[in-house]
Amino acid sequence: MIDMLSLLPQYTPNEFDSRHRLVIVASQRAKHLAQGAKPTGPSRFTKETTAALDEVLRGKIPYLTGKEARDAMKEAKRGKEGETERMAMMTGEDAKEIKKELSVYVDDTAKPQAAPAEE
């Protein structure tokens, strides 16, 4: 089987320890580009996946491995949890404020039911 990276002379062939790591890094970068991230520079490619692979192979996208990567993932998770808690607290306060403002226009109190008329 021919090594695909060896067919591309403009790229550094020994930068990645496996093709699997290359695919993972490029797919994460493609996801970021699809979500609106800015490219690192001008590219001759228009598709996010191809542009991401080009950026990664050119060494413009830094990535972490091993313990550094695990620590970075834990830190990102902590940041997301903190953001979620902050949003939950804001939502509770906002909901109270909205309900207070709407109470002027909408009366949601229970109305007493009229007794059925006897014949």
Coordinates of all heavy atoms in Angstrom, one line a residue, residues 78-96 98:
R78 N -14.2 21.8 32.6 CA -14.5 22.6 33.8 C -15.0 24.0 33.4 O -15.9 24.5 34.0 CB -13.2 22.8 34.6 CG -12.9 21.7 35.6 CD -11.8 22.1 36.5 NE -10.9 20.9 36.6 CZ -9.7 20.9 36.2 NH1 -9.1 21.9 35.8 NH2 -9.0 19.8 36.3
G79 N -14.5 24.5 32.3 CA -14.9 25.8 31.8 C -16.4 25.7 31.3 O -17.2 26.6 31.5
K80 N -16.7 24.6 30.6 CA -18.0 24.4 30.1 C -19.0 24.3 31.2 O -20.1 24.8 31.2 CB -18.1 23.2 29.2 CG -17.5 23.5 27.8 CD -17.6 22.3 26.9 CE -17.0 22.5 25.6 NZ -17.1 21.3 24.7
E81 N -18.6 23.5 32.3 CA -19.5 23.3 33.4 C -19.8 24.6 34.1 O -20.9 24.9 34.5 CB -18.9 22.3 34.4 CG -18.9 20.9 33.9 CD -18.1 19.9 34.8 OE1 -17.5 20.4 35.7 OE2 -18.2 18.7 34.5
G82 N -18.7 25.5 34.3 CA -18.9 26.8 34.9 C -19.8 27.7 34.1 O -20.7 28.4 34.6
E83 N -19.7 27.6 32.8 CA -20.5 28.4 31.9 C -22.0 27.9 32.0 O -22.9 28.7 32.0 CB -20.0 28.3 30.4 CG -20.8 29.1 29.4 CD -20.7 30.6 29.6 OE1 -19.7 31.0 30.2 OE2 -21.6 31.3 29.2
T84 N -22.2 26.6 32.1 CA -23.5 26.0 32.2 C -24.2 26.5 33.5 O -25.4 26.9 33.5 CB -23.5 24.5 32.1 OG1 -22.9 24.1 30.9 CG2 -24.9 23.9 32.2
E85 N -23.4 26.5 34.6 CA -24.0 26.9 35.9 C -24.3 28.4 35.8 O -25.3 28.8 36.3 CB -23.0 26.7 37.0 CG -22.8 25.2 37.3 CD -21.7 25.0 38.3 OE1 -21.2 26.0 38.9 OE2 -21.4 23.8 38.6
R86 N -23.4 29.2 35.2 CA -23.7 30.6 35.1 C -24.9 30.9 34.3 O -25.7 31.7 34.6 CB -22.5 31.3 34.5 CG -22.4 32.8 34.6 CD -21.1 33.4 34.2 NE -20.3 32.8 33.2 CZ -19.2 32.1 33.4 NH1 -18.8 31.9 34.6 NH2 -18.6 31.5 32.4
M87 N -25.1 30.1 33.2 CA -26.3 30.3 32.4 C -27.6 29.9 33.1 O -28.6 30.5 33.0 CB -26.2 29.5 31.1 CG -25.2 30.0 30.1 SD -25.5 31.7 29.5 CE -26.9 31.4 28.5
A88 N -27.5 28.8 33.9 CA -28.6 28.4 34.7 C -29.0 29.4 35.7 O -30.2 29.7 35.9 CB -28.3 27.1 35.4
M89 N -28.0 30.0 36.4 CA -28.3 31.1 37.3 C -29.0 32.3 36.6 O -29.9 32.9 37.1 CB -27.1 31.5 38.1 CG -26.6 30.5 39.1 SD -25.0 30.8 39.8 CE -25.2 32.5 40.3
M90 N -28.4 32.7 35.5 CA -29.0 33.8 34.8 C -30.4 33.5 34.3 O -31.3 34.4 34.4 CB -28.1 34.2 33.5 CG -26.9 35.0 33.9 SD -26.0 35.6 32.5 CE -27.1 35.5 31.1
T91 N -30.6 32.3 33.8 CA -31.9 31.9 33.3 C -33.0 32.0 34.4 O -34.1 32.5 34.2 CB -31.9 30.5 32.7 OG1 -30.9 30.5 31.7 CG2 -33.2 30.2 32.1
G92 N -32.6 31.6 35.7 CA -33.5 31.6 36.8 C -33.9 33.1 37.1 O -35.1 33.4 37.3
E93 N -32.9 33.9 37.2 CA -33.2 35.4 37.4 C -34.0 36.0 36.3 O -34.9 36.8 36.5 CB -31.9 36.1 37.7 CG -31.2 35.7 38.9 CD -29.8 36.3 39.0 OE1 -29.4 37.1 38.2 OE2 -29.1 35.9 39.9
D94 N -33.6 35.7 35.1 CA -34.3 36.2 33.9 C -35.8 35.8 33.9 O -36.7 36.5 33.6 CB -33.6 35.8 32.6 CG -32.3 36.5 32.5 OD1 -32.0 37.5 33.2 OD2 -31.5 36.1 31.6
A95 N -36.0 34.5 34.2 CA -37.3 33.9 34.2 C -38.2 34.7 35.3 O -39.4 35.0 35.0 CB -37.3 32.5 34.5
K96 N -37.6 35.0 36.4 CA -38.4 35.7 37.5 C -38.8 37.1 37.0 O -39.9 37.6 37.2 CB -37.6 35.8 38.8 CG -37.5 34.5 39.5 CD -36.6 34.6 40.7 CE -36.3 33.3 41.3 NZ -35.3 33.4 42.5
I98 N -39.0 38.1 33.8 CA -40.0 38.0 32.8 C -41.4 37.8 33.3 O -42.3 38.4 32.9 CB -39.5 37.0 31.7 CG1 -38.3 37.4 31.0 CG2 -40.7 36.6 30.8 CD1 -37.7 36.4 30.1

